[in-house]
């Protein structure tokens, strides 16, 4: 596959990034963050999660956030929907895309939701059908595609199996996610090439974590086998729940810096993303977890 | 060129990493750091700098450090030597390799040492001849090979020109260094391929900084064009003097994690490097600037 000349960056900071923050972040701040990201040029922003506030209190403001953001035509605002109740919330909030999910690791699935991978995906059939019925985009996300905190290794075949199941539910896009950040470049290429035998490469995305510093090398390697959609999180929002104090989502600023250097088109204004990253980090009372973001901010400060 | 199955990692933490630390670090601590790195399996460690203590006070202990370390047969302990006085110091301290240096940027050379690149390299002729005479390995380091804080862009031709000059002085190894961390993968490949037209690829090394988070992707890209020697710094020691608060040298732990994942042989024990990184970081009173190092340490702590 040809190295892409253009990539789609899905900004996941407002949802995946912020969801584990302990301190409650007001809807106003989240709205400003999403609006800044819209203004920076993203065409897909993961903005909300319609999950029980008992489980993820930080996402309790999702309806308010979705109602408060200034939408731009053509931009997809995505919401995580763990079940039909979540779907109803996302539908009412006018989400453009709903996200369902499963793990590529049997141990992870059993430990986290007490059922098999196959059962966990099957439980999304109603959400998937409802999404189709309402003409809402459907995205499927596969966690632990490169390793699992419980079982260790995860085979490309296990990932391919979940890709097939999500395809069967009608997903428009499928994320291959490295939840614990253990993937390295050749491994990434193997998994992506295997997944592409089950689902169109143009609709596969790479979701990499920088826990071991590998994310950017992995994105570059994935591009070499033709992947052209990647997730990233402004200011590197989102830690790693499996290694306290370790980094999580790859930072959007680092990804954009690489894309700009490679001459790969993103349509996104890096300077505005740096501003958004400094805005939310200041609000959270800590330094952004983005090397490019902090370097650019430091350079500006002189 | 074939992707290497084996790489040489030159550990630069004890010299390049520590040289800008404000607080004086005792010779004892530096000796323990070098000994830990030797024990971890490195075959080349940049351990000292025989430069005027007026300019780099942190390196004033170099003679003591070189005398105090426990050397292992076959391991090259390198020292920076800016002039003949430095060379005499390195010779007396039994350095296995001396390092001379120049910039690929005319503006940087003028601004920093008030002479042209050509003149600055020529000034090392006596050091180079003395090294040959004493059968000491000679390494040449080219800073600003991918960009310059003063002139901005630096062309592959400028790098090639400095490579030729260093080759003419008899260098056994030449470093292509991204001093301000602005390189991205394709750019790195172009520069490395151009340099390899002047000097054997097997004797070229890549010295990358993680200022913008690009270092690991750059190393991977350099390997794709056959580069098999890389510099890195334990715990990511060494900041960026051109962007205060930004990161500098790529961390050895992150590099080793990638090499292990790629199945590329290094001969180095990552766990021992993590220990060395935690040791020096604890001594410096701050968290290591290594994603893999911190993730592994966090995992150990449970």
């Amino acid at each position: 596959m040809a190295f892409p000349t253009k990539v789609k960056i899905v900004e996941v900071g407002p949802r995946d990034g912020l969801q584990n923050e302990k301190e409650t972040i007001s809807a106003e701040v989240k709205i400003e963050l999403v609006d800044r990201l819209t203004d920076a040029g993203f065409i897909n922003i993961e903005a909300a999660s319609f999950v029980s506030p008992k489980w993820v209190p930080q996402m309790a403001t999702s309806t308010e956030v979705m109602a408060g953001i200034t939408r731009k035509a053509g931009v997809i605002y995505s919401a995580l929907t763990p079940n039909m109740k979540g779907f109803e919330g996302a539908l009412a909030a006018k989400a453009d895309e709903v996200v369902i999910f499963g793990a590529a690791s049997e141990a992870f699935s059993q430990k986290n939701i007490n059922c098999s991978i196959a059962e966990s995906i099957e439980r999304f059939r109603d959400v998937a059908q409802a999404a189709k019925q309402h003409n809402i985009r459907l995205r499927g996300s596969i966690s632990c595609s490169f390793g699992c905190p419980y079982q260790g290794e995860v085979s490309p075949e296990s990932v391919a199996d979940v890709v097939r199941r999500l395809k069967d539910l009608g997903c428009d896009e499928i994320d291959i996610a490295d939840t614990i950040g253990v993937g390295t470049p050749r491994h990434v290429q193997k998994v992506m090439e295997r997944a592409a035998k089950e689902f169109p490469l143009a609709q596969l995305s790479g979701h990499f974590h920088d826990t071991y510093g590998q994310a950017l090398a992995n994105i570059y390697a994935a591009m070499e086998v033709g992947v052209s959609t990647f997730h990233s999180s402004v200011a590197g929002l989102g830690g790693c729940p499996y290694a306290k104090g370790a980094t999580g989502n790859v930072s959007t600023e680092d990804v954009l810096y690489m894309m700009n250097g490679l001459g790969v088109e993103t349509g996104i204004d890096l300077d505005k993303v740096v501003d958004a990253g400094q805005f939310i980090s200041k609000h959270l009372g800590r330094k952004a977890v983005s090397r490019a973001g902090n370097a650019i901010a430091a350079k500006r400060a002189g």
Side-chain angles (χ1 to χ4, degrees), chain A:
Chain A
M1 278 301 300
F3 197 86
T5 55
K6 191 178 169 175
V7 300
K8 178 171 90 171
I9 306 290
V10 180
E11 170 58 51
V12 303
R15 199 284 301 174
D16 190 29
L18 291 180
Q19 70 175 359
N20 293 319
E21 287 294 328
K22 292 243 162 53
E23 295 289 319
T24 306
I25 303 154
S26 71
E28 286 68 31
V29 168
K30 290 178 191 166
I31 290 165
E32 176 165 351
L33 178 62
V34 174
D35 285 350
R36 280 172 173 267
L37 296 167
T38 299
D39 183 51
F42 291 93
I43 58 166
N44 193 343
I45 301 171
E46 198 172 278
S49 177
F50 292 93
V51 55
S52 165
K54 198 170 71 186
W55 297 111
V56 190
Q58 191 62 259
M59 290 292 118
T61 51
S62 285
T63 295
E64 217 178 326
V65 171
M66 290 294 278
I69 58 174
T70 303
R71 296 183 187 220
K72 193 164 88 182
V75 177
I76 296 164
Y77 297 92
S78 315
L80 204 76
T81 51
N83 48 38
M84 272 310 287
K85 198 176 168 206
F87 179 81
E88 297 300 338
L91 182 68
K94 296 190 172 54
D96 304 291
E97 177 178 76
V98 293
V99 184
I100 60 177
F101 46 91
S105 150
E106 205 57 71
F108 191 89
S109 192
Q110 290 291 351
K111 186 117 181 171
N112 273 269
I113 44 176
N114 206 25
C115 71
S116 71
I117 298 170
E119 285 167 330
S120 77
I121 304 291
E122 198 51 40
R123 286 180 190 174
F124 282 114
R125 192 165 289 276
D126 51 357
V127 171
Q129 282 170 346
K132 292 289 148 192
Q133 200 184 321
H134 290 89
N135 210 18
I136 296 178
R137 261 179 73 96
L138 179 67
R139 169 149 69 84
S141 193
I142 306 176
S143 64
C144 299
S145 296
F146 300 92
C148 163
Y150 309 117
Q151 77 178 45
E153 283 189 29
V154 169
S155 74
E157 282 309 315
S158 308
V159 178
D161 181 69
V162 189
V163 169
R164 269 194 304 272
R165 292 177 192 278
L166 289 169
K167 179 187 179 187
D168 175 59
L169 290 190
C171 284
D172 298 294
E173 195 165 307
I174 297 178
D175 317 326
I176 309 296
D178 187 7
T179 311
I180 56 171
V182 293
T184 44
R186 291 289 167 96
H187 184 188
V188 165
Q189 292 179 333
K190 264 185 214 154
V191 172
M192 289 297 185
E193 286 177 321
R194 181 65 192 86
K197 287 187 182 160
E198 308 293 339
F199 197 70
L201 188 56
Q203 289 158 258
L204 281 175
S205 77
H207 176 113
F208 296 108
H209 278 215
D210 218 11
T211 320
Y212 295 87
Q214 310 296 306
L216 232 54
N218 289 343
I219 289 173
Y220 178 74
M223 290 170 80
E224 291 186 313
V225 297
V227 178
S228 62
T229 299
F230 297 99
H231 293 192
S232 64
S233 179
V234 61
L237 292 174
C240 176
Y242 304 99
K244 216 185 155 198
T247 39
N249 290 303
V250 65
S251 98
T252 305
E253 297 92 318
D254 292 9
V255 174
L256 290 176
Y257 190 92
M258 182 171 80
M259 296 303 172
N260 290 349
L262 291 169
V264 170
E265 195 188 328
T266 64
I268 301 161
D269 182 333
L270 172 55
D271 275 314
K272 289 187 176 177
V273 179
V274 171
D275 290 340
Q278 300 292 314
F279 159 77
I280 189 67
S281 299
K282 197 177 164 187
H283 186 85
L284 295 171
R286 60 172 186 251
K287 201 175 164 183
V289 188
S290 168
R291 301 196 167 197
N294 289 336
I296 292 168
K299 220 178 149 188
R300 281 181 191 166

